[in-house]
Amino acid sequence: MSQRTATLSSSTPAALPSPSSLSLLLLLLALAGCAGPAPMHRGEAQVAPMAPSEVGQSDVNRMATLGMRDNLESLLRLADKLYRRNPAEWRKTSTISRDAALAQLRVAVNTRTPWPELQGRRDIAALSLALGPDFKGDRVAAFIYASADMVVTAHDGKTSFYLTDSLDAQYIYNAARNIEIAVWMLSNRRNAAGQPLLLADEISERERNLSFEREFGKVIGRLDLLSSVLTEKYRRAVITYVQNLLGGTFLQFLPVR
């Protein structure tokens, strides 16, 4: 018993860490707990370079100009998507590739050059022809060109807007509804052979692709927002006018001596 006691008493206790070492250890553990996968870079807001012409634009003018730019880009992006799902359409043209067909369509949209297969029709008349069951030409190009032409027509035939320009909120609202109708026709109408006019969104056991609907939704959303802003602009102008009249009568400072 005495031998055991002597052995136990002769053992050296474990050294305790110093306060500074303990603090360092806790800090390292905390940093390790915070460490995780690096955040994904999802892009950033783009700032357009200043242009001298912007001096002649109000906030609403600038909003309409940017909305038009983005809507035309969305429609051309949809043309690319539709060509990928419907390659037989661009092969109806004289171009040698899908990219060449897209480039030709982009030039026509940006310059508002009449599209030959639409037989001189513009605006909603062109849209009706492009979505007709018996249309034999490149339906992708005709549909996108007609949609773009209809949107530009709703903006008084312009793509850039300045203080001297006037936009009609109702026409822009109507353009949004026309896009909705065109999307419905695209997904529900059939050609003479009973097939969809164009393959677009796909929902199946293998795949769920709603990218077309999302892109069309962006166009509709921008048009509706601009229509609301224009309506609010004129409403606020009336309210401001009334406030100024009231202010001239009731909101004047009173003499204090």
Side-chain angles (χ1 to χ4, degrees), residues 8-186:
L8 290 173
S9 61
S10 62
S11 61
T12 304
L16 295 175
S18 65
S20 60
S21 300
L22 183 59
S23 299
L24 179 60
L25 178 62
L26 292 175
L27 178 60
L28 291 174
L29 290 174
L31 291 175
C34 292
M40 294 180 61
H41 182 68
R42 299 182 182 274
E44 56 189 20
Q46 299 296 317
V47 180
M50 294 288 292
S53 60
E54 292 182 42
V55 175
Q57 292 181 320
S58 66
D59 291 345
V60 176
N61 293 151
R62 185 62 181 163
M63 176 184 173
T65 300
L66 293 177
M68 175 62 73
R69 178 200 68 185
D70 291 345
N71 281 337
L72 294 182
E73 282 300 319
S74 284
L75 289 172
L76 290 169
R77 194 174 299 117
L78 283 162
D80 185 24
K81 290 176 176 290
L82 288 168
Y83 272 147
R84 291 177 186 274
R85 290 220 65 195
N86 304 269
E89 297 301 319
W90 71 259
R91 293 192 176 109
K92 295 176 182 178
T93 69
S94 58
T95 56
I96 60 174
S97 67
R98 176 176 53 83
D99 290 339
L102 282 171
Q104 187 179 64
L105 177 60
R106 177 179 289 275
V107 170
V109 167
N110 290 337
T111 61
R112 300 200 76 195
T113 302
W115 195 253
E117 294 179 335
L118 291 173
Q119 305 169 13
R121 301 187 191 185
R122 308 295 293 260
D123 193 10
I124 55 176
L127 201 52
S128 296
L129 178 61
L131 293 174
D134 300 326
F135 185 78
K136 303 299 183 184
D138 177 357
R139 194 186 295 275
V140 170
F143 169 59
I144 295 300
Y145 180 89
S147 298
D149 190 67
M150 182 272 297
V151 170
V152 174
T153 299
H155 290 72
D156 199 26
K158 301 173 182 177
T159 57
S160 296
F161 308 94
Y162 299 93
L163 293 171
T164 56
D165 295 321
S166 178
L167 293 173
D168 191 305
Q170 186 62 50
Y171 288 157
I172 295 171
Y173 175 88
N174 292 347
R177 306 289 76 77
N178 288 341
I179 293 293
E180 287 179 338
I181 293 169
V183 173
W184 184 91
M185 293 170 68
L186 193 66

Side-chain angles (χ1 to χ4, degrees), residues 85 199-210:
R85 290 220 65 195
L199 296 177
D201 287 327
E202 180 180 7
I203 302 177
S204 65
E205 295 181 357
R206 300 180 297 103
E207 187 176 4
R208 183 179 179 85
N209 177 10
L210 299 176

